[in-house]
Amino acid sequence: MNRYDPIKIEQKWQAVWDTTHPFKATEVNNQPKMFLAEMFPYPSGAGLHVGHVRNFTIVDVLTRFYTQQGFNVMRPFGYDTFGLPAENYAIKTGIAPQEVTEQNISNFRKQAKRLGFAIDWTREINTSDPEYYKWTQWCFLQLYKKGLAYQKESYQWWCPVDQTVLANEQVESGHCWRCGHEVEKKKMKQWFFKITEYADELLADIDALDWPDKIKTMQKNWIGRSIGAEIDFDIVQEGSKSTKPSSSSKSSKSSKSRQSKANHTVTIATSDSDINREDDISFRHIKVFTTRPDTIMGATFLVVAPEYPGLDYLLTDDTRDTVIKYKQDALKKSEIERQENKEKTGVFTGSYAVNPATKEQIPVYVADYVLASYGTGAIMAVPAYDDRDREFAEKFDLPIIEADLIDRDLYGTPKTTYRMRDWLISRQRYWGCPIPIAYDKEGNPHPIPEDQLPVMLPEIQDYQPDKSGRSALAKATDWLKVQIPIKDEKTGKIHLEEMTRETDTLDGYACSSWYLWRYASPHDKAAAWDPIAIKYWEPVDVYVGADHAVAHLLYIRFWCKFFADLGYLPFREPIKKLIYHGYINAPDGKKMSKSKGNVIDPLDVINDGYGADTLRTYEMFIGPVELDAAWDPRSVGGVYRFLNRCYNLCFKSDDFASPEDIRDNGSKPSDPEAKQNIIIRNKTIKKVTTDIHKYQFNTAVAALMEYVNELYKQGASEEDLIILAKLLKPFAPHLASEMLEHLNATDEWPSWDNQYLVSDTIELVVQVNGKLRSKLTVNASDLSDKDNITKLALADPRIAKYTSDGIKKSILVPKAKLLNLVV
RNA sequence: GGCCGAGUGGCGGAAUUGGUAUACGCGUUCGACUUAAAAUCGAAUGAGGAAACUCGUACGGGUUCAAGUCCCGUCUCGGCUACCA
């Protein structure tokens, strides 16, 4: 006897799809388009995990659903292949990352096919393919040309023994993870993208996005706009300390600390090479940023960050040693350590500043609770209004003045600042997209001409980074040399000049900041993307993922706005609808991890005999798409039983009651039992269709289960089975295809008929004072007649016993099929 | 500390947005089939109670004919963020 054999059925249909390519998308203008994509995966050696399956199945359900509905659907696939795991593996084994990546991709492709995903395999992209990263480099050059890719000195962790930069994770409580030597912060030149240029627009456009509120809020917080003012404080120099001392009682408090340090000498230091004399921080002013310029009357001291560029100008002979020591200690601390230790620390710089509102001289401190990278790196401390300033004031015995508030604009210039910083994109790594820049003898950067792209990653033997903290690329001596055409300013002639290539590569997020546009013309040799294909397909209609809430999803919005400004994109937001789904945890509720040994391998689930359809349907049924869920092996069995019931209903219908008399054969049946089937069928079509539209896949599956349960009770007509197969196909495409073939039907998505959603008689709920007391079967047409319905209800003995004293009023709610009698 | 979410049976979770609380699945129990088991099919399953009924959506109030849903307060748990001036 034939029984449900998912493995056999799935092999059959996967072979069919592999030869007929039914999911290939081309531009067709008489059909509405639908562009669906998941966040493309990093193809790890471990293969697909259950999280991938959830991610890809959501896209697959939508792909098949919209295809069945007649949309022209594009569902491509890609691999985000640059990154540390492949490079570290190469360092360890000497096997080229290119090779490992190719193996992993081929494994991912095989597994994706094993899951029956409806992918257009002609639109497969790989970010480490030179044909792809050529255009990543092109994107970089566009940003560079517009001044949005630039170099800047920034502090990095540096191990003086190993002579290398270290990532935050490679620093263990202030020491190098390799040699154990104390690390220091070193200023190094790095590449940045100027995302802050778009901060306002990125913020303003968030509200209109059809994205989860959680993500929108996270992006808003990340951008973190603060509206305030910048205020200049004059620094008191030697001989000018006679600045009008106030004689008010308020100021007498603050004069105490000033007097004790009255005789100091400000000298200009020359020792600290960190000081950049081009900086606009004048040695006679400290510019602070505040969101509360109205509290300036209460500002009783200033605080600058340890990294504050003008710090050296503030020091005196008395304070220099202490301050330098404090600064060095602070630079050793990681951001995390600074945050963990909330105990305020700091030292007096030796200088005073004049509060422009009170004309008081107030001391200037250096303290690590002020961050160099935010605002101006200096604050006016108002201990009466700010908890952190108060804490500091109390510790250092500084005056706390409850001064009156004043007009915000009196002493400062309005200024908006952002928490978001520019995007640091250079990586001292081999396995990334080379930055298309070369340096002349003076060290000035020059862009690689576009006709020389791609700057290929050279094949090398030893992937170990070199001793200077640069990537292994620095050792590819032949590759480093490049001839760059230079136009002579005077003669206009072009000559070639030998230069040295940039050895940093791009942050992987750069590669994924434009891939959604590449999908529109994935093999385009002439451009990063084809404007006609872009106009047809983009923006993405639904994008599905579980990660990168701010990073990737902010960067791609930034690039979209940038390329829209250049005229390359006809839209300013790349993603219309975002589904941000939850994680799947281990059965014990904890995160799956190799070390805990609680990983569920999706391929094991398939090969255990459940098959891909069960796996897919289970992961859609597991819970609301946006929530985390715990894997439950027993529920997997429940879904298998459901599919088995579908199979039996279709292929073994003789084994159970299936009354011939309810086969409706397309004609309207008069038999009331058959009418019941039609109602259930129409309700199911409506429920599944609207649930998928709302991305409520769990209840869509539940509705199908309910439908099957009803069909077992009532018996199933051929039409019932066809509808079941069509509705099932997005979730369990192999089984559904097998059923549709057997039933000789197409997969065209069915529609429901509103006239079949209600039966002639309905069950009316009767409440007394809001409590359920009885249920009456009444004609649907009577629902409009309140008096009659009330009379019927009062005649019911179960109601009558509560209404012997009469009723005050009667409320009929036809929509809810409910009558409430108030006594 | 700040900003979001969320608290519903033994468990995962439903509830046309104010209208029958617990759909669907798991688990459990009983029955059918079987020499037996598995599989499959059928039935029951919030608590208390013989029943009528009563009580039940974290806790305490409120609005309403009617509250899981709305309002006020409290508690608990998650997520993000964090000395951002």
Side-chain angles (χ1 to χ4, degrees):
Chain A
M1 195 64 198
N2 60 334
R3 52 177 288 273
Y4 177 42
D5 182 352
I7 307 298
K8 203 173 142 192
I9 292 172
E10 289 169 10
Q11 272 173 359
K12 170 183 163 183
W13 288 99
Q14 281 161 20
V16 169
W17 297 332
D18 227 17
T19 49
T20 61
H21 307 295
F23 315 114
K24 197 166 180 289
T26 47
E27 289 82 340
V28 188
N29 281 311
N30 56 4
Q31 242 179 324
K33 70 93 185 181
M34 188 61 68
F35 175 14
L36 308 165
E38 54 270 295
M39 289 182 188
F40 66 166
Y42 177 83
S44 68
L48 292 187
H49 56 68
V50 289
H52 289 124
V53 173
R54 191 179 199 184
N55 190 171
F56 304 166
T57 304
I58 292 165
V59 180
D60 211 63
V61 167
L62 295 172
T63 299
R64 293 178 177 277
F65 172 70
Y66 284 116
T67 303
Q68 287 177 258
Q69 287 209 327
F71 283 81
N72 187 28
V73 180
M74 172 165 81
R75 193 278 181 91
F77 203 68
Y79 310 94
D80 187 18
T81 49
F82 279 133
L84 270 178
E87 177 162 340
N88 287 341
Y89 188 75
I91 292 171
K92 216 166 63 186
T93 64
I95 299 172
Q98 287 86 342
E99 201 178 307
V100 176
T101 298
E102 208 41 65
Q103 283 169 12
N104 290 349
I105 285 179
S106 122
N107 188 38
F108 259 60
R109 190 188 295 121
K110 195 179 89 194
Q111 296 191 344
K113 288 187 177 185
R114 183 61 193 88
L115 273 140
F117 292 136
I119 289 166
D120 178 353
W121 289 106
T122 67
R123 292 176 191 262
E124 201 181 20
I125 61 176
N126 165 8
T127 56
S128 63
D129 181 345
E131 283 296 306
Y132 181 90
Y133 69 67
K134 170 182 180 175
W135 299 109
T136 306
Q137 292 168 346
W138 177 85
C139 290
F140 174 91
L141 290 178
Q142 308 316 305
L143 285 151
Y144 181 80
K145 275 196 257 176
K146 291 287 171 190
L148 295 189
Y150 68 97
Q151 281 179 299
K152 182 175 80 176
E153 297 266 12
S154 106
Y155 280 97
Q156 300 290 311
W157 290 116
W158 178 261
C159 174
V161 173
D162 286 353
Q163 289 281 298
T164 180
V165 283
L166 298 169
N168 275 334
E169 309 84 65
Q170 297 168 329
V171 178
E172 290 161 355
S173 55
H175 297 266
C176 173
W177 67 327
R178 286 224 193 92
C179 69
H181 194 275
E182 220 172 298
V183 298
E184 51 198 50
K185 277 220 167 146
K186 191 177 175 178
K187 260 192 173 177
M188 296 184 69
K189 215 170 217 184
Q190 300 285 323
W191 285 96
F192 291 83
F193 285 148
K194 206 169 182 181
I195 189 172
T196 50
E197 182 103 347
Y198 284 90
D200 271 322
E201 195 192 341
L202 287 167
L203 187 65
D205 291 352
I206 288 175
D207 283 326
L209 293 174
D210 184 10
W211 288 19
D213 285 339
K214 185 177 127 186
I215 309 300
K216 288 158 76 162
T217 307
M218 281 167 77
Q219 292 211 349
K220 281 184 194 171
N221 292 342
W222 182 263
I223 295 168
R225 179 161 65 186
S226 294
I227 294 164
E230 280 185 353
I231 302 174
D232 270 329
F233 282 71
D234 287 341
I235 294 177
V236 179
Q237 295 172 49
E238 198 176 15
S240 64
K241 60 183 179 289
S242 56
T243 308
K244 181 187 97 47
S246 165
S247 56
S248 74
S249 59
K250 273 180 187 171
S251 66
S252 65
K253 271 200 232 164
S254 65
S255 62
K256 183 178 70 180
S257 64
R258 192 182 71 230
Q259 279 165 4
S260 62
K261 306 268 182 175
N263 289 314
H264 73 291
T265 315
V266 175
T267 53
I268 299 167
T270 51
S271 56
D272 192 333
S273 58
D274 277 357
I275 292 174
N276 180 352
R277 281 164 202 287
E278 307 306 315
D279 282 341
D280 65 350
I281 290 134
S282 153
F283 116 88
R284 275 171 286 134
H285 301 278
I286 292 177
K287 190 176 281 208
V288 305
F289 173 74
T290 177
T291 53
R292 295 293 307 275
D294 52 331
T295 64
I296 191 167
M297 300 297 286
T300 53
F301 57 102
L302 297 190
V303 188
V304 301
E307 300 93 334
Y308 184 70
L311 176 61
D312 220 43
Y313 295 115
L314 302 171
L315 308 186
T316 65
D317 291 339
D318 292 346
T319 62
R320 176 162 297 104
D321 291 348
T322 336
V323 173
I324 299 280
K325 171 91 173 57
Y326 179 81
K327 175 178 173 174
Q328 281 167 349
D329 287 348
L331 288 180
K332 270 186 222 154
K333 287 195 237 169
S334 71
E335 300 277 320
I336 294 156
E337 283 172 305
R338 279 205 207 174
Q339 286 156 19
E340 274 170 359
N341 183 13
K342 299 259 171 134
E343 176 78 17
K344 295 279 175 294
T345 61
V347 288
F348 177 53
T349 59
S351 287
Y352 292 85
V354 179
N355 182 326
T358 62
K359 309 297 181 211
E360 287 291 326
Q361 288 186 21
I362 58 176
V364 180
Y365 278 74
V366 56
D368 68 1
Y369 83 94
V370 173
L371 307 176
S373 49
Y374 185 75
T376 60
I379 62 158
M380 64 174 205
V382 189
Y385 289 93
D386 186 284
D387 292 343
R388 296 154 303 186
D389 296 346
R390 178 182 294 114
E391 215 179 295
F392 193 87
E394 281 167 357
K395 179 156 177 184
F396 291 91
D397 197 24
L398 293 158
I400 300 168
I401 298 176
E402 303 274 342
D404 293 336
L405 299 180
I406 58 157
D407 188 322
R408 289 178 69 91
D409 300 331
L410 226 44
Y411 294 100
T413 42
K415 171 84 179 177
T416 301
T417 56
Y418 300 91
R419 211 189 67 105
M420 181 171 67
R421 312 289 148 77
D422 277 340
W423 172 13
L424 197 166
I425 44 139
S426 41
R427 298 286 182 271
Q428 293 73 43
R429 293 287 161 194
Y430 166 77
W431 188 232
C433 172
I435 294 177
I437 289 287
Y439 297 97
D440 60 26
K441 291 185 185 67
E442 285 77 44
N444 299 312
H446 296 264
I448 304 289
E450 286 182 20
D451 60 13
Q452 287 189 29
L453 298 185
V455 176
M456 295 278 286
L457 264 184
E459 286 182 20
I460 56 172
Q461 300 305 316
D462 175 12
Y463 296 94
Q464 193 74 36
D466 92 337
K467 287 276 183 255
S468 65
R470 296 192 298 171
S471 80
L473 284 172
K475 295 187 287 189
T477 42
D478 289 348
W479 175 84
L480 280 177
K481 287 180 203 146
V482 60
Q483 303 289 324
I484 300 291
I486 297 293
K487 194 174 180 181
D488 192 296
E489 300 268 317
K490 288 174 195 160
T491 63
K493 281 186 184 162
I494 292 173
H495 68 279
L496 290 178
E497 193 176 320
E498 183 172 290
M499 299 196 188
T500 309
R501 290 190 191 276
E502 171 64 81
T503 57
D504 282 358
T505 54
L506 282 172
D507 178 7
Y509 279 121
C511 305
S512 56
S513 289
W514 68 281
Y515 81 107
L516 292 171
W517 310 320
R518 185 66 179 170
Y519 278 145
S521 55
H523 311 296
D524 198 330
K525 299 250 186 253
W529 52 82
D530 170 19
I532 295 165
I534 284 281
K535 192 157 188 276
Y536 179 79
W537 287 114
E538 311 272 347
V540 179
D541 291 282
V542 187
Y543 192 45
V544 185
D547 216 335
H548 315 298
V550 282
H552 165 58
L553 288 169
L554 196 61
Y555 297 151
I556 196 166
R557 294 183 60 223
F558 158 46
W559 279 37
C560 181
K561 291 174 190 305
F562 170 73
F563 284 108
D565 280 341
L566 291 191
Y568 285 107
L569 294 175
F571 48 88
R572 300 191 75 81
E573 283 291 342
I575 297 151
K576 282 195 210 162
K577 166 76 189 176
L578 174 72
I579 298 179
Y580 201 79
H581 65 83
Y583 290 112
I584 294 182
N585 294 324
D588 56 12
K590 294 184 180 123
K591 289 249 175 297
M592 287 190 193
S593 79
K594 260 190 233 162
S595 57
K596 285 188 214 133
N598 58 2
V599 176
I600 304 285
D601 184 335
L603 272 296
D604 286 349
V605 177
I606 292 175
N607 295 328
D608 281 351
Y610 284 120
D613 282 340
T614 292
L615 175 64
R616 296 165 50 113
T617 309
Y618 169 66
E619 292 209 18
M620 293 299 95
F621 184 60
I622 197 166
V625 78
E626 70 278 6
L627 296 186
D628 290 353
W631 187 269
D632 180 2
R634 291 185 298 206
S635 289
V636 177
V639 171
Y640 178 83
R641 279 193 280 281
F642 159 65
L643 294 181
N644 189 34
R645 279 158 75 82
C646 294
Y647 180 89
N648 288 343
L649 207 51
C650 185
F651 292 96
K652 297 165 82 174
S653 55
D654 292 344
D655 289 6
F656 60 92
S658 176
E660 288 297 317
D661 57 354
I662 66 157
R663 292 191 184 273
D664 55 29
N665 295 324
S667 62
K668 282 189 186 171
S670 51
D671 184 334
E673 202 186 358
K675 180 82 191 282
Q676 190 59 31
N677 270 42
I678 292 173
I679 290 166
I680 295 160
R681 198 161 71 215
N682 277 274
K683 276 187 172 168
T684 305
I685 295 169
K686 183 180 178 184
K687 174 77 175 154
V688 173
T689 307
T690 53
D691 278 0
I692 294 177
H693 271 131
K694 291 188 283 183
Y695 314 105
Q696 292 173 359
F697 306 111
N698 57 328
T699 52
V701 174
L704 287 169
M705 289 171 165
E706 222 171 323
Y707 182 45
V708 168
N709 291 345
E710 282 302 319
L711 295 183
Y712 264 67
K713 280 181 204 151
Q714 313 285 344
S717 69
E718 193 177 352
E719 182 64 11
D720 284 326
L721 294 174
I722 290 171
I723 297 298
L724 172 63
K726 288 179 174 189
L727 298 180
L728 186 64
K729 195 173 178 191
F731 302 94
H734 311 85
L735 173 59
S737 297
E738 187 74 10
M739 289 168 68
L740 286 167
E741 185 187 56
H742 178 73
L743 296 160
N744 194 25
T746 72
D747 69 356
E748 188 190 349
W749 196 260
S751 52
W752 69 92
D753 188 336
N754 280 323
Q755 70 165 310
Y756 291 127
L757 292 181
V758 280
S759 45
D760 299 338
T761 59
I762 53 131
E763 189 176 64
L764 180 81
V765 172
V766 185
Q767 298 180 333
V768 178
N769 286 347
K771 285 192 173 170
L772 175 67
R773 294 301 180 190
S774 182
K775 290 178 182 181
L776 293 177
T777 303
V778 298
N779 289 329
S781 55
D782 290 346
L783 266 187
S784 54
D785 187 349
K786 190 170 97 175
D787 291 345
N788 189 30
I789 291 272
T790 305
K791 216 178 285 173
L792 278 170
L794 289 172
D796 184 337
R798 280 173 297 187
I799 299 300
K801 69 194 225 197
Y802 294 101
T803 56
S804 50
D805 294 338
I807 57 168
K808 285 181 190 148
K809 64 174 162 178
S810 158
I811 295 154
L812 180 66
V813 189
K815 195 182 72 173
K817 290 177 248 169
L818 174 142
L819 177 74
N820 189 16
L821 302 173
V822 186
V823 297

